[in-house]
Amino acid sequence: MLVLVLGLIVFLGVHSVRICAEGWRTRGIARWGEMGWKGLYSALSLIGFALIVWGFAQARLLPVVLWSPPAMLKHLNSLFTLAAFILVAAAYVPRNRIRARLHHPMILGVKLWAFGHLLATGTLADLVLFGAFLLWAVLDFRAARRRDRALGTVYAPGTMGPTAIAVLVGVVAWAVFAFWLHAAWIGVAPFARA
């Protein structure tokens, strides 16, 4: 569990700089240049992510079961995760209506993913992992919206074509992950028969 917590501290810590240290980030970019900053950010993110994966795998070997969620919540998680994939896709497809309306769809996607997984799982490691991501997403979304208001950020209106592309990409990515990659990478088949 210690490795998982350390990974979360590193990964979410790096991703929290804009929440609590915007001035330090600006000075860091000025000092190391944008590419230098992104390189350091990426390296630390990868280290944190590797620790999360390793720590979560270790914690799953001897799970501490806190509750046993009903099957209904696992099905609900599938819907939350589908919506999360669409939101993440919308963060990258330019000029779509989802991003125009929500402004920060990736963070909202992380919220849905984490919340759904908290409902559908029941071990201490799950609570630590998904709870940390949910808390981070709530704080990051608030900070991003506050930053938008302070800077007077205006999002371009979206159009239907890019919106349809974002939805299609999200649905396809979700299907590939849910039906094949989740089992291969995480060892859990979301749609396996119980």
mmCIF file of all heavy atoms in Angstrom, residues 26-56:
data_model
loop_
_atom_site.group_PDB
_atom_site.id
_atom_site.type_symbol
_atom_site.label_atom_id
_atom_site.label_comp_id
_atom_site.label_asym_id
_atom_site.label_seq_id
_atom_site.Cartn_x
_atom_site.Cartn_y
_atom_site.Cartn_z
ATOM 1 N N THR A 26 4.764 29.040 -13.229
ATOM 2 C CA THR A 26 5.138 30.092 -14.171
ATOM 3 C C THR A 26 6.638 30.378 -14.083
ATOM 4 O O THR A 26 7.320 30.518 -15.107
ATOM 5 C CB THR A 26 4.320 31.372 -13.905
ATOM 6 O OG1 THR A 26 2.925 31.042 -13.987
ATOM 7 C CG2 THR A 26 4.650 32.473 -14.887
ATOM 8 N N ARG A 27 7.164 30.465 -12.855
ATOM 9 C CA ARG A 27 8.605 30.695 -12.679
ATOM 10 C C ARG A 27 9.430 29.522 -13.193
ATOM 11 O O ARG A 27 10.499 29.707 -13.763
ATOM 12 C CB ARG A 27 8.917 30.979 -11.204
ATOM 13 C CG ARG A 27 8.394 32.322 -10.718
ATOM 14 C CD ARG A 27 8.906 32.680 -9.336
ATOM 15 N NE ARG A 27 8.524 31.715 -8.306
ATOM 16 C CZ ARG A 27 7.368 31.714 -7.660
ATOM 17 N NH1 ARG A 27 6.442 32.622 -7.949
ATOM 18 N NH2 ARG A 27 7.115 30.815 -6.728
ATOM 19 N N GLY A 28 8.920 28.297 -12.992
ATOM 20 C CA GLY A 28 9.617 27.113 -13.491
ATOM 21 C C GLY A 28 9.700 27.099 -15.006
ATOM 22 O O GLY A 28 10.743 26.771 -15.585
ATOM 23 N N ILE A 29 8.613 27.462 -15.670
ATOM 24 C CA ILE A 29 8.605 27.519 -17.136
ATOM 25 C C ILE A 29 9.571 28.598 -17.617
ATOM 26 O O ILE A 29 10.322 28.395 -18.576
ATOM 27 C CB ILE A 29 7.178 27.760 -17.668
ATOM 28 C CG1 ILE A 29 6.303 26.526 -17.397
ATOM 29 C CG2 ILE A 29 7.198 28.087 -19.159
ATOM 30 C CD1 ILE A 29 4.833 26.722 -17.690
ATOM 31 N N ALA A 30 9.595 29.742 -16.935
ATOM 32 C CA ALA A 30 10.512 30.822 -17.312
ATOM 33 C C ALA A 30 11.972 30.387 -17.113
ATOM 34 O O ALA A 30 12.843 30.731 -17.918
ATOM 35 C CB ALA A 30 10.210 32.070 -16.489
ATOM 36 N N ARG A 31 12.225 29.623 -16.073
ATOM 37 C CA ARG A 31 13.604 29.211 -15.751
ATOM 38 C C ARG A 31 14.110 28.101 -16.664
ATOM 39 O O ARG A 31 15.237 28.156 -17.151
ATOM 40 C CB ARG A 31 13.655 28.758 -14.297
ATOM 41 C CG ARG A 31 15.017 28.346 -13.842
ATOM 42 C CD ARG A 31 15.000 27.995 -12.376
ATOM 43 N NE ARG A 31 16.320 27.637 -11.930
ATOM 44 C CZ ARG A 31 16.600 27.214 -10.732
ATOM 45 N NH1 ARG A 31 15.633 27.108 -9.839
ATOM 46 N NH2 ARG A 31 17.813 26.902 -10.391
ATOM 47 N N TRP A 32 13.289 27.060 -16.881
ATOM 48 C CA TRP A 32 13.740 25.886 -17.638
ATOM 49 C C TRP A 32 13.244 25.878 -19.083
ATOM 50 O O TRP A 32 13.595 24.985 -19.850
ATOM 51 C CB TRP A 32 13.272 24.603 -16.942
ATOM 52 C CG TRP A 32 13.864 24.427 -15.585
ATOM 53 C CD1 TRP A 32 15.184 24.493 -15.250
ATOM 54 C CD2 TRP A 32 13.170 24.163 -14.375
ATOM 55 N NE1 TRP A 32 15.351 24.297 -13.908
ATOM 56 C CE2 TRP A 32 14.118 24.086 -13.337
ATOM 57 C CE3 TRP A 32 11.823 23.994 -14.046
ATOM 58 C CZ2 TRP A 32 13.784 23.833 -12.023
ATOM 59 C CZ3 TRP A 32 11.490 23.744 -12.734
ATOM 60 C CH2 TRP A 32 12.453 23.672 -11.742
ATOM 61 N N GLY A 33 12.391 26.812 -19.432
ATOM 62 C CA GLY A 33 11.788 26.806 -20.757
ATOM 63 C C GLY A 33 10.608 25.849 -20.777
ATOM 64 O O GLY A 33 10.496 24.958 -19.931
ATOM 65 N N GLU A 34 9.720 26.027 -21.748
ATOM 66 C CA GLU A 34 8.519 25.195 -21.793
ATOM 67 C C GLU A 34 8.845 23.726 -21.999
ATOM 68 O O GLU A 34 8.266 22.849 -21.369
ATOM 69 C CB GLU A 34 7.559 25.687 -22.876
ATOM 70 C CG GLU A 34 6.229 24.980 -22.800
ATOM 71 C CD GLU A 34 5.099 25.735 -23.461
ATOM 72 O OE1 GLU A 34 5.236 26.936 -23.720
ATOM 73 O OE2 GLU A 34 4.074 25.090 -23.703
ATOM 74 N N MET A 35 9.807 23.442 -22.878
ATOM 75 C CA MET A 35 10.169 22.038 -23.131
ATOM 76 C C MET A 35 10.835 21.402 -21.906
ATOM 77 O O MET A 35 10.582 20.248 -21.592
ATOM 78 C CB MET A 35 11.078 21.934 -24.361
ATOM 79 C CG MET A 35 10.386 22.306 -25.661
ATOM 80 S SD MET A 35 8.835 21.425 -25.937
ATOM 81 C CE MET A 35 9.425 19.783 -26.211
ATOM 82 N N GLY A 36 11.680 22.155 -21.228
ATOM 83 C CA GLY A 36 12.316 21.642 -20.013
ATOM 84 C C GLY A 36 11.289 21.343 -18.931
ATOM 85 O O GLY A 36 11.355 20.312 -18.255
ATOM 86 N N TRP A 37 10.328 22.270 -18.767
ATOM 87 C CA TRP A 37 9.261 22.069 -17.782
ATOM 88 C C TRP A 37 8.434 20.839 -18.127
ATOM 89 O O TRP A 37 8.163 19.999 -17.274
ATOM 90 C CB TRP A 37 8.374 23.309 -17.698
ATOM 91 C CG TRP A 37 7.209 23.125 -16.781
ATOM 92 C CD1 TRP A 37 5.946 22.747 -17.117
ATOM 93 C CD2 TRP A 37 7.207 23.254 -15.360
ATOM 94 N NE1 TRP A 37 5.152 22.642 -16.006
ATOM 95 C CE2 TRP A 37 5.902 22.950 -14.908
ATOM 96 C CE3 TRP A 37 8.181 23.609 -14.424
ATOM 97 C CZ2 TRP A 37 5.545 22.991 -13.568
ATOM 98 C CZ3 TRP A 37 7.819 23.655 -13.078
ATOM 99 C CH2 TRP A 37 6.525 23.344 -12.670
ATOM 100 N N LYS A 38 8.046 20.730 -19.415
ATOM 101 C CA LYS A 38 7.243 19.580 -19.834
ATOM 102 C C LYS A 38 8.004 18.276 -19.685
ATOM 103 O O LYS A 38 7.424 17.245 -19.349
ATOM 104 C CB LYS A 38 6.769 19.761 -21.276
ATOM 105 C CG LYS A 38 5.657 20.774 -21.422
ATOM 106 C CD LYS A 38 5.179 20.884 -22.852
ATOM 107 C CE LYS A 38 4.030 21.866 -22.956
ATOM 108 N NZ LYS A 38 3.543 21.998 -24.334
ATOM 109 N N GLY A 39 9.323 18.315 -19.925
ATOM 110 C CA GLY A 39 10.139 17.116 -19.753
ATOM 111 C C GLY A 39 10.162 16.656 -18.301
ATOM 112 O O GLY A 39 9.983 15.469 -18.005
ATOM 113 N N LEU A 40 10.382 17.597 -17.386
ATOM 114 C CA LEU A 40 10.387 17.267 -15.954
ATOM 115 C C LEU A 40 9.009 16.785 -15.507
ATOM 116 O O LEU A 40 8.886 15.776 -14.797
ATOM 117 C CB LEU A 40 10.805 18.502 -15.147
ATOM 118 C CG LEU A 40 10.824 18.355 -13.630
ATOM 119 C CD1 LEU A 40 11.837 17.293 -13.207
ATOM 120 C CD2 LEU A 40 11.126 19.689 -12.961
ATOM 121 N N TYR A 41 7.973 17.483 -15.940
ATOM 122 C CA TYR A 41 6.586 17.132 -15.620
ATOM 123 C C TYR A 41 6.279 15.711 -16.101
ATOM 124 O O TYR A 41 5.729 14.893 -15.374
ATOM 125 C CB TYR A 41 5.677 18.155 -16.303
ATOM 126 C CG TYR A 41 4.200 18.009 -16.064
ATOM 127 C CD1 TYR A 41 3.581 18.722 -15.055
ATOM 128 C CD2 TYR A 41 3.416 17.190 -16.873
ATOM 129 C CE1 TYR A 41 2.209 18.622 -14.847
ATOM 130 C CE2 TYR A 41 2.051 17.081 -16.667
ATOM 131 C CZ TYR A 41 1.457 17.801 -15.654
ATOM 132 O OH TYR A 41 0.109 17.692 -15.454
ATOM 133 N N SER A 42 6.673 15.407 -17.345
ATOM 134 C CA SER A 42 6.412 14.085 -17.917
ATOM 135 C C SER A 42 7.185 12.994 -17.195
ATOM 136 O O SER A 42 6.641 11.920 -16.918
ATOM 137 C CB SER A 42 6.768 14.075 -19.406
ATOM 138 O OG SER A 42 5.966 14.992 -20.112
ATOM 139 N N ALA A 43 8.446 13.252 -16.897
ATOM 140 C CA ALA A 43 9.269 12.249 -16.207
ATOM 141 C C ALA A 43 8.691 11.925 -14.829
ATOM 142 O O ALA A 43 8.550 10.751 -14.465
ATOM 143 C CB ALA A 43 10.709 12.744 -16.083
ATOM 144 N N LEU A 44 8.348 12.952 -14.073
ATOM 145 C CA LEU A 44 7.766 12.723 -12.746
ATOM 146 C C LEU A 44 6.410 12.033 -12.851
ATOM 147 O O LEU A 44 6.078 11.164 -12.033
ATOM 148 C CB LEU A 44 7.645 14.040 -11.981
ATOM 149 C CG LEU A 44 8.963 14.645 -11.500
ATOM 150 C CD1 LEU A 44 8.745 16.033 -10.923
ATOM 151 C CD2 LEU A 44 9.644 13.737 -10.488
ATOM 152 N N SER A 45 5.611 12.411 -13.853
ATOM 153 C CA SER A 45 4.306 11.768 -14.054
ATOM 154 C C SER A 45 4.473 10.279 -14.340
ATOM 155 O O SER A 45 3.744 9.447 -13.801
ATOM 156 C CB SER A 45 3.543 12.433 -15.199
ATOM 157 O OG SER A 45 3.203 13.750 -14.870
ATOM 158 N N LEU A 46 5.431 9.938 -15.201
ATOM 159 C CA LEU A 46 5.672 8.527 -15.529
ATOM 160 C C LEU A 46 6.148 7.737 -14.315
ATOM 161 O O LEU A 46 5.717 6.600 -14.098
ATOM 162 C CB LEU A 46 6.681 8.415 -16.673
ATOM 163 C CG LEU A 46 6.148 8.771 -18.054
ATOM 164 C CD1 LEU A 46 7.285 8.813 -19.074
ATOM 165 C CD2 LEU A 46 5.076 7.789 -18.498
ATOM 166 N N ILE A 47 7.022 8.335 -13.527
ATOM 167 C CA ILE A 47 7.486 7.672 -12.301
ATOM 168 C C ILE A 47 6.302 7.442 -11.359
ATOM 169 O O ILE A 47 6.121 6.350 -10.821
ATOM 170 C CB ILE A 47 8.598 8.497 -11.613
ATOM 171 C CG1 ILE A 47 9.878 8.459 -12.461
ATOM 172 C CG2 ILE A 47 8.861 7.989 -10.196
ATOM 173 C CD1 ILE A 47 10.924 9.473 -12.035
ATOM 174 N N GLY A 48 5.501 8.471 -11.155
ATOM 175 C CA GLY A 48 4.325 8.340 -10.287
ATOM 176 C C GLY A 48 3.357 7.294 -10.800
ATOM 177 O O GLY A 48 2.849 6.471 -10.037
ATOM 178 N N PHE A 49 3.111 7.299 -12.118
ATOM 179 C CA PHE A 49 2.192 6.324 -12.706
ATOM 180 C C PHE A 49 2.722 4.904 -12.528
ATOM 181 O O PHE A 49 1.969 3.989 -12.177
ATOM 182 C CB PHE A 49 1.974 6.641 -14.192
ATOM 183 C CG PHE A 49 0.954 5.753 -14.849
ATOM 184 C CD1 PHE A 49 -0.393 5.900 -14.577
ATOM 185 C CD2 PHE A 49 1.355 4.747 -15.716
ATOM 186 C CE1 PHE A 49 -1.337 5.074 -15.167
ATOM 187 C CE2 PHE A 49 0.419 3.917 -16.318
ATOM 188 C CZ PHE A 49 -0.927 4.073 -16.041
ATOM 189 N N ALA A 50 4.014 4.705 -12.764
ATOM 190 C CA ALA A 50 4.614 3.369 -12.587
ATOM 191 C C ALA A 50 4.474 2.904 -11.143
ATOM 192 O O ALA A 50 4.152 1.734 -10.880
ATOM 193 C CB ALA A 50 6.078 3.391 -13.012
ATOM 194 N N LEU A 51 4.684 3.803 -10.195
ATOM 195 C CA LEU A 51 4.522 3.446 -8.782
ATOM 196 C C LEU A 51 3.064 3.111 -8.458
ATOM 197 O O LEU A 51 2.799 2.186 -7.670
ATOM 198 C CB LEU A 51 5.019 4.585 -7.885
ATOM 199 C CG LEU A 51 6.531 4.813 -7.867
ATOM 200 C CD1 LEU A 51 6.874 6.108 -7.127
ATOM 201 C CD2 LEU A 51 7.250 3.626 -7.231
ATOM 202 N N ILE A 52 2.127 3.849 -9.048
ATOM 203 C CA ILE A 52 0.699 3.550 -8.833
ATOM 204 C C ILE A 52 0.376 2.152 -9.346
ATOM 205 O O ILE A 52 -0.258 1.352 -8.645
ATOM 206 C CB ILE A 52 -0.200 4.602 -9.521
ATOM 207 C CG1 ILE A 52 -0.117 5.941 -8.791
ATOM 208 C CG2 ILE A 52 -1.647 4.127 -9.582
ATOM 209 C CD1 ILE A 52 -0.775 7.095 -9.537
ATOM 210 N N VAL A 53 0.808 1.850 -10.564
ATOM 211 C CA VAL A 53 0.520 0.539 -11.154
ATOM 212 C C VAL A 53 1.138 -0.573 -10.305
ATOM 213 O O VAL A 53 0.479 -1.569 -9.976
ATOM 214 C CB VAL A 53 1.034 0.475 -12.616
ATOM 215 C CG1 VAL A 53 0.961 -0.939 -13.164
ATOM 216 C CG2 VAL A 53 0.237 1.435 -13.493
ATOM 217 N N TRP A 54 2.386 -0.420 -9.941
ATOM 218 C CA TRP A 54 3.093 -1.426 -9.134
ATOM 219 C C TRP A 54 2.441 -1.561 -7.755
ATOM 220 O O TRP A 54 2.163 -2.664 -7.281
ATOM 221 C CB TRP A 54 4.560 -1.039 -9.024
ATOM 222 C CG TRP A 54 5.412 -2.002 -8.255
ATOM 223 C CD1 TRP A 54 5.257 -3.358 -8.149
ATOM 224 C CD2 TRP A 54 6.555 -1.684 -7.467
ATOM 225 N NE1 TRP A 54 6.241 -3.896 -7.356
ATOM 226 C CE2 TRP A 54 7.056 -2.884 -6.932
ATOM 227 C CE3 TRP A 54 7.224 -0.493 -7.184
ATOM 228 C CZ2 TRP A 54 8.182 -2.929 -6.111
ATOM 229 C CZ3 TRP A 54 8.348 -0.546 -6.378
ATOM 230 C CH2 TRP A 54 8.814 -1.743 -5.848
ATOM 231 N N GLY A 55 2.186 -0.423 -7.119
ATOM 232 C CA GLY A 55 1.599 -0.446 -5.775
ATOM 233 C C GLY A 55 0.196 -1.025 -5.755
ATOM 234 O O GLY A 55 -0.163 -1.776 -4.845
ATOM 235 N N PHE A 56 -0.606 -0.695 -6.774
ATOM 236 C CA PHE A 56 -1.966 -1.225 -6.838
ATOM 237 C C PHE A 56 -1.932 -2.736 -7.071
ATOM 238 O O PHE A 56 -2.710 -3.483 -6.466
ATOM 239 C CB PHE A 56 -2.759 -0.510 -7.931
ATOM 240 C CG PHE A 56 -4.226 -0.812 -7.912
ATOM 241 C CD1 PHE A 56 -5.024 -0.416 -6.849
ATOM 242 C CD2 PHE A 56 -4.824 -1.479 -8.965
ATOM 243 C CE1 PHE A 56 -6.383 -0.683 -6.822
ATOM 244 C CE2 PHE A 56 -6.191 -1.753 -8.964
ATOM 245 C CZ PHE A 56 -6.963 -1.349 -7.883
#
